[in-house]
Amino acid sequence: QVQVVESGGGLVQPGGSLRLSCTASGFTLDYHYIGWFRQAPGKEREGVSCISISDGSTYYADSVKGRFTISGDNAKSTVYLQMNSLKPEDTAVYYCASGYGLRYWNVVSEYDYWGQGTQVTVSS
């Protein structure tokens, strides 16, 4: 019954902005985390950001800190990733994932459910 769906990707010029959305359903809130990962062609999937649904704690990769912001709207069961000052190296498929009781927020195997991915392309 658990479902994770992300959307909001697209084509944007360097320096531009995009906002990704992730909706999750069929889960309980206890010890729940939502993470954003990305994967570029030929590269490993890497953690971008994470938010604790329980207490609002947030985490960011060094490469996006200061440019990206993760937030949540519990009324809509939605987590957002606001991406500003985008760079060509941000180009990737972005995935939303759901996990519980995480030990490491940026490790793929910590998460149980994944969305289908949304393409973000940063190019002039």
Side-chain angles (χ1 to χ4, degrees):
Q1 292 184 343
V2 175
Q3 292 183 309
V4 181
V5 180
E6 63 269 80
S7 62
L11 175 64
V12 65
Q13 296 184 77
S17 299
L18 284 173
R19 188 180 73 166
L20 305 183
S21 299
C22 172
T23 60
S25 61
F27 60 89
T28 60
L29 296 179
D30 293 349
Y31 310 108
H32 188 215
Y33 295 78
I34 294 292
W36 284 101
F37 287 73
R38 67 186 182 187
Q39 188 166 24
K43 296 186 177 181
E44 295 182 343
R45 190 170 299 187
E46 63 176 349
V48 176
S49 187
C50 178
I51 185 168
S52 167
I53 304 302
S54 300
D55 63 16
S57 298
T58 59
Y59 309 88
Y60 297 93
D62 289 342
S63 59
V64 307
K65 200 167 187 177
R67 299 189 298 122
F68 292 8
T69 302
I70 191 169
S71 62
D73 183 343
N74 288 345
K76 298 181 179 180
S77 298
T78 300
V79 170
Y80 303 98
L81 184 67
Q82 179 67 45
M83 306 186 296
N84 298 327
S85 302
L86 283 162
K87 305 174 180 179
E89 52 262 44
D90 295 317
T91 295
V93 176
Y94 282 70
Y95 298 90
C96 183
S98 170
Y100 288 88
L102 304 184
R103 297 171 297 173
Y104 312 103
W105 73 265
N106 58 349
V107 175
V108 168
S109 61
E110 291 288 319
Y111 295 82
D112 301 303
Y113 302 98
W114 293 80
Q116 80 287 353
T118 185
Q119 177 71 48
V120 172
T121 302
V122 184
S123 176
S124 60

